[in-house]
Amino acid sequence: STLPPGTILTPHPGEMARLVGVSPADIQANRLGIAQSKAAEWDAIVVLKGAHTIVASPDHIAVIIPFATDALAKAGTGDVLAGCIVGLLAQGMDPFDAAVAGAYVHGLSGQLAGQEMSARSAVASDIVRAIPLALTAVGL
């Protein structure tokens, strides 16, 4: 792979479909398998976004994040996810652990924001405002 060690990719299903050369429906039909195989092939951590985001490592470890909320299906929320992950990396966390913890905090933040208001009306800035609550809840 030409990617540096510890690279973290955060595609949504449409982006992953373009990277792999299949349809988004094909990605959705085999999210776990594709995330795991591409993480190994690309020697990178793959965070396949969507309901129940999948975080896959090059050594075939995968974690399914237990959140599915409309609050995260908005423009800008992927940038919030990347910020959560990079913030943990900047504090010295291992890349895979940062991807898992960042995705979990992001998902929990979306759930918390959705509880405060309608999940459909929440936007990326609402997710950002919920991050401190989510970090406290998970002890980070």
Side-chain angles (χ1 to χ4, degrees):
S1 172
T2 59
L3 298 171
T7 294
I8 302 170
L9 305 171
T10 62
H12 59 61
E15 292 166 333
M16 183 62 107
R18 287 190 295 277
L19 289 169
V20 175
V22 299
S23 73
D26 291 334
I27 298 296
Q28 293 296 75
N30 187 17
R31 290 171 49 80
L32 180 60
I34 290 171
Q36 287 180 305
S37 70
K38 293 307 171 183
E41 179 184 334
W42 299 334
D43 195 25
I45 296 156
V46 173
V47 180
L48 181 55
K49 298 183 290 193
H52 308 289
T53 291
I54 296 168
V55 183
S57 74
D59 53 352
H60 303 286
I61 297 170
V63 174
I64 299 171
I65 306 300
F67 299 103
T69 174
D70 288 342
L72 297 177
K74 307 287 175 42
T77 59
D79 297 323
V80 176
L81 170 62
C84 288
I85 294 169
V86 170
L88 295 169
L89 283 171
Q91 295 177 57
M93 195 176 274
D94 167 82
F96 181 72
D97 293 342
V100 171
Y104 189 91
V105 165
H106 179 256
L108 181 55
S109 298
Q111 181 176 307
L112 292 170
Q115 289 171 352
E116 191 172 311
M117 63 187 62
S118 162
R120 288 187 177 168
S121 65
V123 295
S125 59
D126 299 315
I127 309 307
V128 170
R129 281 192 289 281
I131 290 172
L133 295 171
L135 288 169
T136 299
V138 299
L140 288 176

